[in-house]
Amino acid sequence: MIGLALTRTPVQVPIHVPRVDSVSRRLVTVAAGIASESLLLLLYWFGPVAQAQLPAAPSDQAAADATGRDQAADSIRSATIDQFIEAAHAAAGRQPNPIVDDATFLRRVYLDIVGRIPTFGEAQQFLDSSATDKRQALVDHLLASPGYPLHQFSYWANLLRAKSKMPGGPSDFYTAWIKQNIRENTPYDRWVREMLAARGYIWSTPATGYFQRDQGMPLDNMANTVQVFLGTRLECAQCHNHPSEAWTQHDFYRTAAYRNHLSTVFYHQGQWPAMQQILDERGASKEVRIWASRTFAFLKRRVYDAGRQLRLPDDYADDDAMPGQVVEPATIYGQAACSESTCDRQQSFAEWLASPSNPYFTKVIANRMWKRVMGRGLIEPVDDMNRSTTASHPELLHFLERLMVDSQYNLKRFQRVLYNTRTYQRAVCSMDLTGAVRYGFPGPLLKQMTAEQLWDSLMTLMAPDIDLRQSERFRKLPFLRENFSAYEQATPAELVDASYQAEEVRRLHNETHEKLFELEKRIAAADKSGDAELLRQLRAKVVRLEQFRDHEIPVRIDGGTFRYRTQQEFHQATGFKPAADQPPADSYWSDPQRNWCVRAAELSSPADPHHPLRTFGQSDREQIDNGSSGPTIPLVLTLMNGEVFQKLIHSESVLMRNVHAAPTTSDLVDVLYLTLLSRLPSKDEAKLMATAQRNADEPQRAIEDITWALINTQEFLFIR
Amino acid sequence: MTANIAILDEFERRRFMTRAAGALLGVGVGPYVSTAAAKPLLPTRPHTAESIIYLNMAGGMSHIDTFDMKPSRSDIQGPIDSIPSSLTGVVVSEHLPQMARLLDKTCLVRSLNSDQGVHYSAYYYMHTSYHLQGTLRHPHFGAWMMRLLGKKNSRLPGNIQVLGGSRQINHGFMEPRYGPLKISDPDAGLPNSKPLPGVTGEAHQRRVALANLADRAFRQQFPHRQVRAFMDTYAEAVELMKSSDLEAFDISKEPAAHQDRYGEAKFGKGCLLARRLVERGVRFVEVTLDGWDTHLFNFETTPKLSRILDRALAALLQDLESRGMLETTLVVLATEFGRTPKIDGHTKGRGHWPQAYTCLLAGGGIRGGQIYGQTDEQGGKVTDNLVTVTDFNATLAYALGLPLDHELSSPASQPFRVADKGQPVRALF
């Protein structure tokens, strides 16, 4: 039950100090006194950290992450970052903000790393603990937890505009692959290279989803690539020279020439002519022909080298080339790639872009990750860099870039260094930032929860083990992969057979549906006339028909018409089954009717248009990073009056279960505050809620009133 | 609940399951905002339009396949036929028959010219009159209207977007309350606008008060703009819940035959919703019809969309006219760019073409029955009366009586205007 050892008065928290050995501590202190950023850099390179051997690219990332030597090295790095920031403050005669208390740290770090508020149990555990390194331990725990990939997925889906429904076919393969990379902590440079170098079908090479996303628009794909990975906006250069920058239209085309030869639609006829012949021979109906065309459509969608040449547009105006002239690929900076005609342009480009020797590649990811943690980049905006862009802390950014390269683009490791700084643990900035001011990071910035963080936090209040709940769309993937791979091997005759089967399934479903509809009408009539015997017979017929529909009609697996199982078998095969070593499934929450209760990363990307996630401002994944934050009337109405709240106060929600387990009425106020705001109420707040409880008609109503009130505060919505 | 299910027989259990599985899914608040009708900030010149219905054809509507046909060039035109309109000598696509008959009520501007050929930048330029910049967000035209004119009906939001995406073109550097309210489904209206079942208006007010009290410490500690913006929005939402004008959002209140005239598609219903909202004094309603980006299958998709557009726009114009609302309502049909005259043989599509495209205006004091501007034989180049994007927006502002030279500053003290330096096309009035 709840730990009543928690006190209301703010506890003096041991401030987290990174473990630093005495030698480096002295060196670092000396450097701080001199307040020179360059000296700090020298110390980093010639001091103890440099002498500690960095691990070679490990095959087991997890094991490497856990070594004690890594921890010491990372601690020094965190301290170094702090010295950069604090030296700048000292030089300006300013104080950075104080370190936040445990409750503030708890909620902030959960939302930042795993994208949801902590559960009541998690909050209790952390706040009760007296371990001196508990903050560092929590950071490690969260980075390794299943919530981490679910949170990071939304971030990358926003940047990559990854959608569950893309023209390239079943794109869940792509979104699942992104999540898998995050989960396994694949080095960032490796999976970027994979995306850029991928060819083939999306079910066997999910990385092709990256190019499939921009089907028919290879120039846009290139502009997006440069924006996301190289932090430069080139899309204007599709049409004309950039008014004030060095990139010309020709530069853009030269870059685009590395990938323009790729296509996403395989126009070759393949099995289609043979299929058409068989359809004709069998006198296939229009419906069967439509199925055949749909089935074959999947085989047309793959990324391959179509050998297309890129030509300058007809209205090309500059003197250095003719309109319509063929463009040869050339890199806009750095080393040349692909100078021989026999080279693989796609591969060369991938290697040129996702490389430590590409000056922008590392800068961009380091800056993005810094912004992710601290709330603002050292360069803003993060994707509009040009040759005159300067960072607010140039030496610090340089340090971060070296850190990224030295960590071999291990994003978890990079983030751990940042999360363990004092800078991260300081109170948020209490003023608004205006325009393009140089922000000195006295602390992170106050942020509103993203749409996904808000939804995920609400879901945390509903079902236990929210991070472990997987939706059906991803459970189906192995079956879909089997299905589509079978397509690749199928003969035209087999594909036509599949089309006939698909039509048969559709016909059976329609027929059954119509019969059921008729029976419903007759039941209503029998009910009215009071004929009990007829009613019983009719109901029995309905049950038999529904069983036929569920158990005997083959099911059409989404998008695939080739292989069938019945509805029943399919649900059993793809149903949620907890692993042997996991706690037994909660019977209420493991019921398929509760399938809606999953985190945003498990739903379609983006969520359906009417899903609360969209109302909360989730990106529609049509533009890079275009989620909207900020208050809107629909968001506020949803929080106040939406169905989500009704589900929240349902007796089976985790929130309500915890509340009802509280021994006294004042304890339950503590539970509500701890669960919703991750802290205990102040004396005034406790008094306020006690009054609210007295004024309510009955205890359950009081609980609902207080829950409603806390959900609808700005404190709930913002991350401090 | 589980105990009860066991009692039900098999038949009823299944009924229960299917039904259950089908589901998911004011008093004064603080002194922070007044929702009374904001007085117009500046004197306005004589004008007739008070509201705008902005029909946004997202993706780049092909001008050559809709309103700027080129029947003399079969290589450019492709398979879509032309039909005569109510304007002598003027033809439109065969898939726009109702608009062909109503063309004399409208003004076709065939000489739009933009320098932005990429979706987001072009869309941004059309909607804000400024080019996309990394460091600043400009306000949407609708936000400008709200800021300069204020609400006409204080009990309803003044800036509404129906069916648009979550693109970040909204209030820009202005306060969030000038930004649009998004309706994602015209059939669903404004969801969640009533308190939860079992919660009376009074009980709701008590909860709101409790929330404000609980939040006091946080708001004192964090007086950030973002936090205040939320407080404002909560206050506005609470007021809206009590407004009798809420039923403007409910298109099912229209007679069925009337709903039918707008067609089945969501876009048509969005147009009907727009009419209802403008009727109740909403200033700016934007309704989006997406899908015009026909790099592929142009000759399947464009006709389909044209027919949806034709039905909805014709119904809207006739509806406004019969209610005497056409003079006070400016109807705009706009898109972010046109499409290439040359048809791609491989994909049977057209690419982006910002150099020349067509928009349409009606009502709001616009003199109907004219074609303004023209393109060359291929539809690729504007040959006469070129209209830039800022000129176009200046024309809309002019129709509404908005001051074109009034400057508002961003937080970084840069001055901006509703249509930048655009000049209105006075010939259209």
Side-chain angles (χ1 to χ4, degrees):
Chain A
M1 302 296 115
I2 61 166
L4 295 174
L6 300 168
T7 63
R8 287 211 169 78
T9 54
V11 174
Q12 193 55 38
V13 176
I15 291 170
H16 165 66
V17 176
R19 270 202 290 267
V20 178
D21 71 72
S22 58
V23 172
S24 11
R25 196 202 295 272
R26 259 183 278 132
L27 282 174
V28 167
T29 318
V30 165
I34 297 175
S36 155
E37 289 187 357
S38 315
L39 183 56
L40 286 170
L41 267 178
L42 280 172
L43 275 172
Y44 175 69
W45 290 117
F46 298 107
V49 171
Q51 281 152 27
Q53 263 182 318
L54 292 164
S59 52
D60 186 348
Q61 280 293 45
D65 287 351
T67 63
R69 204 196 287 145
D70 283 354
Q71 287 204 345
D74 287 349
S75 292
I76 294 178
R77 288 163 167 151
S78 300
T80 312
I81 291 174
D82 284 327
Q83 295 300 345
F84 275 118
I85 300 283
E86 287 160 9
H89 279 292
R94 285 193 309 257
Q95 285 274 53
N97 295 346
I99 304 284
V100 295
D101 63 17
D102 267 353
T104 307
F105 178 81
L106 164 73
R107 194 171 197 262
R108 179 199 292 181
V109 82
Y110 260 87
L111 282 162
D112 282 347
I113 301 185
V114 293
R116 60 167 176 83
I117 53 175
T119 64
F120 175 66
E122 288 166 340
Q124 264 195 302
Q125 191 181 19
F126 180 76
L127 294 172
D128 276 347
S129 161
S130 50
T132 46
D133 65 343
K134 68 175 179 178
R135 292 192 183 192
Q136 191 175 32
L138 181 57
V139 168
D140 280 342
H141 167 75
L142 292 175
L143 285 171
S145 81
Y148 172 80
L150 297 177
H151 177 46
Q152 300 300 327
F153 171 77
S154 303
Y155 177 75
W156 287 106
N158 277 347
L159 282 180
L160 300 172
R161 299 162 298 125
K163 291 168 74 170
S164 297
K165 275 212 185 77
M166 294 177 350
S171 323
D172 281 325
F173 288 111
Y174 177 50
T175 53
W177 178 82
I178 294 172
K179 259 194 274 179
Q180 194 59 20
N181 276 317
I182 299 167
R183 192 174 287 124
E184 292 171 356
N185 200 25
T186 309
Y188 171 72
D189 62 331
R190 172 139 56 99
W191 66 269
V192 172
R193 265 197 306 277
E194 261 189 73
M195 282 193 288
L196 292 174
R199 288 190 196 177
Y201 287 115
I202 201 169
W203 51 84
S204 41
T205 314
T208 54
Y210 180 74
F211 192 61
Q212 289 281 16
R213 177 61 184 87
D214 291 319
Q215 184 185 55
M217 299 187 291
L219 294 183
D220 281 6
N221 182 261
M222 179 53 72
N224 292 329
T225 302
V226 171
Q227 184 178 343
V228 171
F229 301 117
L230 299 179
T232 308
R233 302 196 73 136
L234 272 190
E235 72 266 13
C236 298
Q238 277 189 51
C239 302
H240 53 74
N241 294 339
H242 200 293
S244 55
E245 293 308 324
W247 314 126
T248 63
Q249 191 182 13
H250 206 171
D251 285 334
F252 177 80
Y253 273 80
R254 285 195 193 101
T255 312
Y258 278 102
R259 291 170 59 82
N260 193 71
H261 58 291
L262 300 171
S263 174
T264 54
V265 185
F266 195 67
Y267 284 105
H268 301 230
Q269 298 277 44
Q271 299 99 312
W272 184 242
M275 282 171 73
Q276 280 187 308
Q277 194 173 12
I278 300 174
L279 286 165
D280 288 339
E281 281 165 15
R282 290 175 68 168
S285 66
K286 186 174 103 170
E287 289 79 22
V288 173
R289 286 176 190 274
I290 291 175
W291 282 118
S293 149
R294 274 192 205 153
T295 305
F296 184 69
F298 287 108
L299 294 172
K300 288 205 287 207
R301 302 278 194 256
R302 61 184 240 218
V303 176
Y304 74 106
D305 179 356
R308 277 197 313 225
Q309 285 182 320
L310 180 61
R311 292 176 180 279
L312 288 171
D314 291 335
D315 61 348
Y316 185 72
D318 277 358
D319 298 332
D320 63 344
M322 300 298 295
Q325 183 178 315
V326 171
V327 183
E328 290 301 317
T331 51
I332 44 184
Y333 53 78
Q335 85 277 26
C338 220
S339 34
E340 301 105 58
S341 56
T342 48
C343 82
D344 182 334
R345 296 179 176 191
Q346 184 187 12
Q347 186 67 31
S348 307
F349 181 77
E351 283 164 16
W352 169 82
L353 183 144
S355 148
S357 39
N358 185 318
Y360 283 102
F361 181 67
T362 311
K363 193 189 298 287
V364 167
I365 185 63
N367 191 47
R368 281 190 190 282
M369 289 293 110
W370 173 270
K371 176 170 184 159
R372 194 118 171 84
V373 175
M374 302 295 180
R376 186 179 172 87
L378 297 174
I379 292 178
E380 282 284 350
V382 297
D383 60 4
D384 200 1
M385 299 182 199
N386 54 60
R387 285 172 214 189
S388 54
T389 303
T390 50
S392 59
H393 299 71
E395 307 273 14
L396 171 56
L397 182 56
H398 187 61
F399 176 82
L400 293 177
E401 291 175 57
R402 292 315 313 256
L403 174 58
M404 181 62 77
V405 173
D406 290 341
S407 318
Q408 281 117 30
Y409 298 92
N410 178 338
L411 294 184
K412 275 196 190 181
R413 188 144 180 217
F414 186 88
Q415 287 177 84
R416 186 203 288 116
V417 170
L418 267 53
Y419 281 120
N420 282 323
T421 58
R422 285 191 295 274
T423 307
Y424 174 71
Q425 294 178 66
R426 298 190 183 282
V428 293
C429 181
S430 55
M431 328 166 307
D432 285 309
L433 288 188
T434 48
V437 74
R438 179 186 186 274
Y439 184 57
F441 297 96
L445 290 177
L446 181 72
K447 298 190 286 256
Q448 182 197 332
M449 279 197 209
T450 62
E452 290 92 350
Q453 282 170 321
L454 178 54
W455 172 262
D456 287 356
S457 297
L458 292 170
M459 293 305 103
T460 305
L461 299 168
M462 306 270 188
D465 297 317
I466 188 64
D467 293 338
L468 301 178
R469 293 176 66 83
Q470 194 187 22
S471 78
E472 202 194 327
R473 70 185 319 108
F474 294 109
R475 280 186 250 131
K476 281 195 307 201
L477 282 181
F479 296 89
L480 288 184
R481 188 173 298 120
E482 215 184 284
N483 215 52
F484 287 112
S485 304
Y487 272 172
E488 288 184 67
Q489 319 299 331
T491 63
E494 285 170 330
L495 289 173
V496 170
D497 279 341
S499 313
Y500 270 94
Q501 274 182 306
E503 176 54 20
E504 183 62 11
V505 165
R506 188 193 70 83
R507 194 190 61 75
L508 280 173
H509 267 293
N510 269 14
E511 222 175 66
T512 312
H513 178 79
E514 276 173 26
K515 284 188 191 158
L516 282 170
F517 189 63
E518 275 308 307
L519 281 171
E520 291 288 324
K521 286 204 280 200
R522 290 176 63 194
I523 283 172
D527 204 13
K528 222 176 191 173
S529 71
D531 185 344
E533 175 54 28
L534 179 60
L535 206 54
R536 197 192 58 75
Q537 283 177 356
L538 288 173
R539 281 181 172 176
K541 272 197 178 152
V542 167
V543 170
R544 278 201 298 277
L545 260 179
E546 287 185 342
Q547 279 176 338
F548 170 72
R549 182 194 61 197
D550 294 343
H551 295 248
E552 306 211 19
I553 302 181
V555 70
R556 208 188 87 237
I557 299 175
D558 271 4
T561 55
F562 194 66
R563 209 163 285 215
Y564 299 99
R565 296 190 185 161
T566 63
Q567 198 99 314
Q568 177 84 330
E569 275 180 42
F570 187 66
H571 279 307
Q572 269 178 358
T574 60
F576 174 70
K577 284 175 271 297
D581 58 347
Q582 278 176 357
D586 185 306
S587 66
Y588 182 78
W589 288 104
S590 53
D591 190 307
Q593 285 187 70
R594 255 62 74 182
N595 280 348
W596 54 267
C597 186
V598 283
R599 291 190 57 167
E602 288 291 315
L603 294 167
S604 71
S605 170
D608 292 332
H610 312 308
H611 193 278
L613 265 169
R614 301 294 294 274
T615 312
F616 293 164
Q618 188 192 43
S619 159
D620 58 4
R621 313 269 148 95
E622 294 298 328
Q623 304 294 341
I624 293 173
D625 205 11
N626 79 335
S628 46
S629 64
T632 60
I633 288 183
L635 187 162
V636 160
L637 287 176
T638 304
L639 283 178
M640 288 200 295
N641 308 321
E643 214 178 329
V644 171
F645 184 77
Q646 283 180 297
K647 299 242 179 313
L648 201 55
I649 54 175
H650 188 282
S651 58
E652 293 286 358
S653 77
V654 161
L655 175 67
M656 287 300 129
R657 285 181 187 172
N658 287 336
V659 162
H660 290 128
T664 72
T665 50
S666 66
D667 285 335
L668 74 84
V669 173
D670 284 356
V671 170
L672 284 171
Y673 265 82
L674 262 176
T675 317
L676 294 165
L677 300 177
S678 308
R679 64 174 177 87
L680 286 169
S682 67
K683 277 215 182 60
D684 285 338
E685 286 165 346
K687 266 209 281 254
L688 172 68
M689 294 309 165
T691 311
Q693 282 175 301
R694 277 198 302 275
N695 288 346
D697 295 331
E698 31 116 39
Q700 178 60 21
R701 203 44 187 252
I703 292 170
E704 293 172 11
D705 285 345
I706 300 175
T707 304
W708 192 99
L710 295 182
I711 294 273
N712 284 287
T713 56
Q714 270 76 82
E715 182 175 351
F716 182 80
L717 268 175
F718 281 85
I719 309 173
R720 57 160 157 189
Chain B
M1 194 170 15
T2 24
N4 291 339
I5 293 179
I7 295 172
L8 297 172
D9 70 7
E10 173 74 0
F11 171 82
E12 301 208 87
R13 189 191 72 83
R14 282 169 175 271
R15 276 293 143 283
F16 176 83
M17 292 299 216
T18 29
R19 257 196 291 267
L24 164 77
L25 334 171
V27 151
V29 191
Y32 301 109
V33 79
S34 153
T35 47
K39 294 214 171 40
L41 293 180
L42 298 142
T44 54
R45 84 172 77 79
H47 60 279
T48 57
E50 290 174 2
S51 300
I52 281 194
I53 297 181
Y54 191 103
L55 302 178
N56 175 42
M57 304 295 105
M61 178 177 76
S62 168
H63 54 301
I64 297 170
D65 296 309
T66 52
F67 289 101
D68 194 6
M69 309 288 286
K70 303 293 173 191
S72 63
R73 290 289 300 269
S74 58
D75 56 323
I76 300 287
Q77 187 68 81
I80 296 180
D81 278 332
S82 306
I83 55 173
S85 72
S86 53
L87 287 177
T88 356
V90 177
V91 297
V92 295
S93 152
E94 58 174 314
H95 301 289
L96 297 167
Q98 293 192 60
M99 282 314 297
R101 283 193 294 275
L102 290 175
L103 213 62
D104 56 344
K105 302 247 185 316
T106 74
C107 171
L108 264 186
V109 182
R110 283 180 170 163
S111 50
L112 261 299
N113 173 279
S114 169
D115 59 355
Q116 299 296 307
V118 174
H119 286 295
Y120 188 55
S121 336
Y123 185 95
Y124 189 90
Y125 191 32
M126 279 297 282
H127 283 76
T128 67
S129 303
Y130 286 90
H131 288 109
L132 183 61
Q133 265 179 261
T135 48
L136 175 73
R137 291 277 159 186
H138 305 88
H140 186 283
F141 189 89
W144 276 100
M145 268 186 84
M146 293 308 298
R147 181 73 170 74
L148 294 177
L149 287 180
K151 289 184 185 181
K152 203 166 132 192
N153 178 348
S154 61
R155 298 183 303 276
L156 281 177
N159 178 359
I160 297 183
Q161 270 182 11
V162 183
L163 295 167
S166 66
R167 296 184 167 95
Q168 285 174 305
I169 302 172
N170 43 28
H171 50 90
F173 58 74
M174 296 181 184
E175 280 150 75
R177 60 194 166 99
Y178 297 121
L181 182 153
K182 289 193 165 62
I183 302 284
S184 60
D185 181 3
D187 279 317
L190 183 65
N192 301 321
S193 49
K194 295 266 167 271
L196 290 161
V199 180
T200 63
E202 225 179 63
H204 188 262
Q205 284 169 12
R206 279 200 303 272
R207 285 180 169 183
V208 169
L210 186 59
N212 281 325
L213 288 169
D215 213 12
R216 239 199 336 220
F218 180 84
R219 294 172 189 179
Q220 265 172 357
Q221 199 183 352
F222 299 102
H224 297 60
R225 249 197 324 267
Q226 318 171 54
V227 177
R228 282 208 308 278
F230 256 97
M231 282 156 37
D232 287 351
T233 308
Y234 261 96
E236 197 177 347
V238 168
E239 283 301 305
L240 185 58
M241 282 171 67
K242 298 183 314 211
S243 163
S244 54
D245 286 316
L246 260 186
E247 58 167 35
F249 288 97
D250 187 356
I251 59 174
S252 71
K253 293 241 164 11
E254 293 280 328
H258 196 66
Q259 290 183 47
D260 209 44
R261 295 183 57 196
Y262 282 82
E264 286 303 304
K266 289 291 181 189
F267 175 71
K269 295 179 193 238
C271 290
L272 175 54
L273 176 59
R275 192 224 79 214
R276 283 177 69 81
L277 292 171
V278 165
E279 205 170 15
R280 303 265 186 149
V282 175
R283 286 274 189 209
F284 182 92
V285 185
E286 178 174 346
V287 191
T288 296
L289 176 57
D290 207 345
W292 293 95
D293 191 24
T294 47
H295 293 273
L296 304 167
F297 309 122
N298 176 52
F299 299 104
E300 280 86 3
T301 309
T302 305
K304 201 169 68 165
L305 292 173
S306 301
R307 279 181 245 122
I308 293 173
L309 169 65
D310 187 57
R311 187 147 176 196
L313 179 54
L316 178 65
L317 290 175
Q318 286 169 329
D319 205 358
L320 289 170
E321 194 176 32
S322 66
R323 282 165 206 265
M325 287 167 64
L326 204 49
E327 276 298 291
T328 52
T329 311
L330 178 63
V331 179
V332 182
L333 176 76
T335 187
E336 66 250 43
F337 40 64
R339 303 205 81 84
T340 53
K342 191 159 124 187
I343 303 170
D344 184 321
H346 212 33
T347 62
K348 305 280 182 283
R350 301 191 196 265
H352 305 174
W353 195 259
Q355 294 90 310
Y357 58 108
T358 301
C359 292
L360 182 150
L361 296 169
I366 297 281
R367 195 161 47 85
Q370 53 175 325
I371 309 286
Y372 188 81
Q374 58 183 17
T375 55
D376 63 8
E377 192 188 63
Q378 299 178 14
K381 194 159 154 344
V382 171
T383 53
D384 190 33
N385 283 335
L386 187 142
V387 178
T388 63
V389 170
T390 47
D391 289 342
F392 184 75
N393 289 344
T395 310
L396 307 188
Y398 185 84
L400 291 160
L402 295 177
L404 292 166
D405 48 8
H406 180 73
E407 288 181 347
L408 281 174
S409 288
S410 72
S413 305
Q414 281 174 279
F416 295 98
R417 300 193 250 179
V418 62
D420 197 17
K421 300 187 187 67
Q423 292 304 308
V425 183
R426 293 199 167 82
L428 300 184
F429 294 92

